Amino acid sequence: MVTNEFWLERWQMGRIGFHRDEVNPWLIQYWPQIGRGAKVLVPLCGKSADLLWLANQGYDVTGVELSPMAVVEFFGDNDLTYQTEQVGSLKIHTAHGLALRIVEGDYFDFHETGFDACYDRAALVAIPEDKREQYVLHTKQRLTPEATLLLITLSYDGDQAGPPFSVLDFEVNELWGDWIRKLASEDLLQLDERYQGHDRTFYEESVWRITA
């Protein structure tokens, strides 16, 4: 069962195969043209280098992450100093000299609104099926009516054990409705040996742009 304790234990044990040290190429290629200073939300951000890339483009970036270890490692890995403020059940870590902060705590306890854009590389695929609708609704409530979302998903057959979970195209359409548009996809079975040997015929990563 995927619980908060599950994720905290994964970080403590170093079982973070979902983490990538480099900036995601889909982000660089498909991030929408929005004005500098726009507020960008990154749910379940981990210690992703994508946060720093977005901040360096001139955006006001807010990541939300459950694991305190991930937060500390992000600031340490990037030689960033920061200050911390407790707000209810959440800890807000704000970088010095950069429009970037990470909110430490349960994403469903985060209720700030007014975000102009959202970047989801590893959040939806980390959410069990029975909570995905709740996750999408909660995310929509954080965004402005004109906001844009860049979403990256995985879909695969064979062993369905996750996370990351398989989220098929029809599910993405059902969750996000008429705003959805698939931009690109590639079969990772042909590109990365880590995804081979699981009795699968496809393991596809897709990138979507959604205007809420």
Side-chain angles (χ1 to χ4, degrees):
M1 185 176 181
V2 180
T3 61
N4 285 352
E5 290 71 26
F6 168 88
W7 287 112
L8 292 170
E9 184 176 322
R10 286 280 292 262
W11 278 97
Q12 290 166 358
M13 296 179 64
R15 295 176 56 212
I16 53 171
F18 48 84
H19 173 71
R20 296 290 179 268
D21 290 331
E22 68 280 359
V23 177
N24 191 287
W26 290 132
L27 173 62
I28 297 172
Q29 183 173 357
Y30 289 110
W31 183 250
Q33 296 297 315
I34 56 177
R36 292 174 63 87
K39 292 178 61 179
V40 178
L41 173 65
V42 186
L44 283 62
C45 63
K47 58 175 183 176
S48 173
D50 298 344
L51 293 168
L52 198 58
W53 184 89
L54 286 164
N56 286 332
Q57 307 310 303
Y59 303 119
D60 184 352
V61 180
T62 297
V64 183
E65 170 55 42
L66 179 67
S67 169
M69 182 177 294
V71 175
V72 169
E73 290 185 2
F74 171 81
F75 286 106
D77 290 349
N78 293 290
D79 295 321
L80 294 171
T81 58
Y82 61 98
Q83 63 187 36
T84 299
E85 176 187 8
Q86 185 83 39
V87 180
S89 64
L90 304 173
K91 289 184 179 180
I92 301 177
H93 308 276
T94 304
H96 294 148
L98 193 66
L100 187 155
R101 61 186 179 145
I102 299 180
V103 178
E104 178 192 327
D106 190 315
Y107 180 58
F108 293 107
D109 292 337
F110 177 70
H111 295 288
E112 188 174 327
T113 60
F115 288 92
D116 304 298
C118 178
Y119 171 59
D120 177 345
R121 182 196 75 82
L124 183 62
V125 297
I127 302 290
E129 184 177 2
D130 62 349
K131 290 190 175 182
R132 285 178 202 152
E133 188 173 348
Q134 179 189 2
Y135 163 77
V136 170
L137 176 61
H138 186 75
T139 301
K140 286 181 178 180
Q141 291 170 342
R142 314 278 69 78
L143 307 178
T144 66
E146 301 81 20
T148 296
L149 168 70
L150 189 69
L151 168 69
I152 298 172
T153 60
L154 292 171
S155 57
Y156 54 84
D157 63 350
D159 179 12
Q160 296 291 311
F165 296 105
S166 176
V167 183
L168 299 176
D169 287 7
F170 82 89
E171 292 184 75
V172 178
N173 282 279
E174 287 182 349
L175 289 166
W176 285 99
D178 297 336
W179 305 289
I180 190 77
R181 183 162 69 93
K182 191 173 184 177
L183 301 178
S185 62
E186 63 182 12
D187 189 349
L188 298 181
L189 284 180
Q190 310 302 320
L191 301 174
D192 194 327
E193 62 183 14
R194 289 176 300 173
Y195 304 113
Q196 298 168 8
H198 292 275
D199 194 27
R200 295 184 177 127
T201 60
F202 70 95
Y203 195 101
E204 187 175 83
E205 185 175 67
S206 300
V207 58
W208 311 77
R209 184 174 296 160
I210 302 167
T211 303

